Amino acid sequence: MNIKMTETGRTFVLNCYTDMFYPNPIVLKGDNIVVPTSILEEIQEQEHSTHFIFSLKTVSGGSSNPITCKAIEFSHDSTLSGNVYIPQWMQQTLLLSPGDCVSISMVSDELPKGTKVTVQPQDSLFLTLDNHKSVLEQALVDFNTLTTNTSIIISHE
């Protein structure tokens, strides 16, 4: 794991994998990620926050926007200390392959509360669902944050 200091705090560079590669059975939904305990220790030295919201972006300089996400677990396994585990949709959105490096930094400012979400289906199959509102409500429960101009994948049945 590489650590860089910036004006806004610490940025960590980690290898990125989906939850399929995580040794413990876990299914990451929404914007939830698993990061190593060493990041928690670094953060606690810097500030005493109880919310663990991070910004995740590619290191390779790809054109994708950063994604805001929440750590739901800190892995104690020392063999995984250089890895972050993310949902499949994030890997696709950030155009990453398993093992690619990502930059992860804590969002120290309070995120503004959203007032509106505009949903644009990417597939006409969504329009064939009986209750669009219910499907969206159930899927969005797993998201702690939504990032502007990011496409998310919603699974249904």
Side-chain angles (χ1 to χ4, degrees), residues 29-32 89 139-146 152-154:
K29 295 180 180 179
D31 63 349
N32 297 310
W89 76 266
L140 293 176
V141 162
D142 294 318
F143 286 84
N144 301 284
T145 65
L146 291 174
I152 60 173
I153 297 171
I154 295 175

Side-chain angles (χ1 to χ4, degrees), residues 37-83:
T37 304
S38 55
I39 289 181
L40 175 62
E41 293 165 356
E42 290 282 337
I43 290 168
Q44 287 177 332
E45 287 177 12
Q46 187 177 4
E47 56 184 271
H48 301 287
S49 180
T50 56
H51 73 283
F52 300 105
I53 305 294
F54 293 93
S55 177
L56 196 68
K57 64 182 180 178
T58 61
V59 172
S60 63
S63 60
S64 62
N65 293 327
I67 295 176
T68 306
C69 49
K70 182 176 182 179
I72 60 160
E73 183 176 316
F74 291 90
S75 172
H76 295 284
D77 189 336
S78 61
T79 63
L80 307 175
S81 67
N83 301 334

Side-chain angles (χ1 to χ4, degrees), residues 100-118:
D100 283 352
C101 289
V102 293
S103 171
I104 180 171
S105 54
M106 186 162 177
V107 176
S108 55
D109 296 332
E110 186 72 24
L111 295 174
K113 297 285 183 195
T115 57
K116 173 175 97 167
V117 174
T118 303

Side-chain angles (χ1 to χ4, degrees), residues 1 8 11 18 66 80 89 99 114 119 125 130-131 138:
M1 172 176 60
T8 58
T11 298
T18 62
L80 307 175
W89 76 266
V119 179
L125 184 61
D130 290 334
N131 190 345
Q138 288 175 356

